[in-house]
Amino acid sequence: MTKPIAAPTISTAQPEDFFQLLKPRVMSLVIFTAVTGLVVARGDIGWLTAAIAVLCIAVGAGAAGALNMALEGETDALMRRTRGRPVAAGRVSRSDALTFGVVLSIFSVMLLGMAANWLAGGLLGLTIVYYAGFYTLLLKRRTPQNIVIGGAAGAFPPVIGWAAATGSAPWQAWLLFLIIFLWTPPHSWALALYSAGDYAKAGIPMMPVARGARSTRLQILLYSLVFVPVAIAPGLTGLGGPVYLAVSVAGGIGFLWLAARLWRSRAGDQPDKAEAVGREAALYDVRAEAKPARNLFAFSILYLMALFAALLVESAAPIMSL
């Protein structure tokens, strides 16, 4: 059994620690996809209301991150990639992180509901509960499909943005949801292939730990074969234009090539036991045989950003020309 993390008698937390509780890197992706959904929807929404909506979505995402860190502090402390997080490192107490997350959750959901509409507010509340409760408490330690089912939480932001702009969530919004949902498993399992030792130490049954590296590499390839056509679909349905279609096809070919290279590799067969220095090193400094996993992980981020950037540029261009 792991020993509870002892909180200091006098808090040593700094404002930076509470900012880190919000998972700013994840928040930046949430903001970007939410803004894309809001702009692509082309609803009748004023600039002030749109700005408030984006702020609420960002704060709600941060609240979910804070609740996740509060609930996962002991687990995070066992993993090289997460042991520097505020709760895991003991700089912020679990109770303070929980309080911070709950207050931000209530604030963001209520303000979004009042400023925009209650469909958007309800979807934001559902996302927070789904991620902090359903995924963190129920799924993460119980099934190797944790990231598949739990990935829905990260796929909601464009739907929330769309709902904030229009008061509805049509099939086009759910197509954006599906893109992120199907992107999550190959993205996350690529990282897990060269972080399997950390997950095993923490008792988390990520796919490489529960099913082995070979099975994980195959599933990454299979999910990629489903994900890429879905990623291209907006360019064929009118949701995206020629720029989106070009980006999605070119990037999709690259994604599939990297997934195939990973499938043929030995990434994850021998977990990397080397101690890395710092968080960036933990993510990207890997032994030679794990580089195909690292390359797909890094490219997957660029591809998703490029997809939503293309949609955003094509949809914003007519607005900016007015």
Side-chain angles (χ1 to χ4, degrees):
M1 294 180 64
T2 59
K3 295 181 179 180
I5 299 172
T9 304
I10 299 176
S11 176
T12 60
Q14 300 296 317
E16 170 67 15
D17 294 319
F18 283 94
F19 179 69
Q20 291 301 322
L21 282 177
L22 304 178
K23 294 190 176 182
R25 290 187 179 182
V26 175
M27 184 193 290
S28 64
L29 182 59
V30 166
I31 293 172
F32 186 56
T33 58
V35 168
T36 301
L38 189 149
V39 173
V40 172
R42 298 184 182 180
D44 184 17
I45 182 173
W47 287 102
L48 178 59
T49 303
I52 293 173
V54 172
L55 172 65
C56 290
I57 295 169
V59 172
L67 292 171
N68 172 264
M69 286 195 198
L71 297 170
E72 292 265 279
E74 293 183 16
T75 300
D76 285 344
L78 298 173
M79 300 176 64
R80 183 179 60 192
R81 186 173 60 87
T82 58
R83 63 191 177 195
R85 289 176 174 176
V87 177
R91 297 191 303 273
V92 177
S93 69
R94 183 175 184 269
S95 60
D96 285 350
L98 278 172
T99 302
F100 185 60
V102 169
V103 170
L104 291 184
S105 297
I106 296 172
F107 167 79
S108 60
V109 170
M110 295 301 294
L111 181 58
L112 181 58
M114 292 186 291
N117 56 75
W118 289 107
L119 174 60
L123 286 171
L124 180 59
L126 173 64
T127 303
I128 296 170
V129 172
Y130 193 99
Y131 181 70
F134 186 57
Y135 169 69
T136 302
L137 292 178
L138 297 179
L139 289 176
K140 194 169 184 179
R141 288 182 172 276
R142 287 175 170 80
T143 171
Q145 296 295 325
N146 48 21
I147 203 66
V148 177
I149 306 169
F156 272 112
V159 183
I160 300 171
W162 197 300
T166 66
S168 63
W171 67 266
Q172 294 93 333
W174 292 106
L175 179 57
L176 299 182
F177 171 96
L178 189 60
I179 289 172
I180 302 175
F181 181 76
L182 292 174
W183 166 86
T184 302
H187 165 77
S188 299
W189 286 337
L191 170 63
L193 275 173
Y194 60 90
S195 304
D198 267 356
Y199 288 113
K201 185 189 302 182
I204 299 173
M206 288 294 284
M207 191 61 68
V209 177
R211 299 289 186 266
R214 184 177 180 181
S215 174
T216 302
R217 294 194 300 266
L218 175 59
Q219 292 194 57
I220 287 174
L221 178 62
L222 295 176
Y223 266 96
S224 298
L225 290 170
V226 176
F227 160 65
V228 169
V230 173
I232 295 172
L236 303 175
T237 59
L239 181 59
V243 173
Y244 180 89
L245 185 60
V247 169
S248 62
V249 171
I253 291 172
F255 196 100
L256 290 175
W257 180 70
L258 289 172
R261 284 193 64 192
L262 175 56
W263 173 56
R264 294 194 302 267
S265 76
R266 298 183 61 189
D269 285 349
Q270 297 181 5
D272 190 357
K273 297 180 181 179
E275 283 295 322
V277 180
R279 296 178 187 172
E280 289 299 326
L283 282 176
Y284 296 109
D285 289 353
V286 299
R287 59 172 60 179
E289 59 266 30
K291 286 184 178 179
R294 180 205 61 185
N295 292 343
L296 179 62
F297 171 76
F299 184 80
S300 68
I301 299 173
L302 294 176
Y303 184 45
L304 187 69
M305 295 289 284
L307 291 174
F308 280 82
L311 279 176
L312 186 60
V313 168
E314 288 183 324
S315 298
I319 297 174
M320 299 300 292
S321 64
L322 295 177

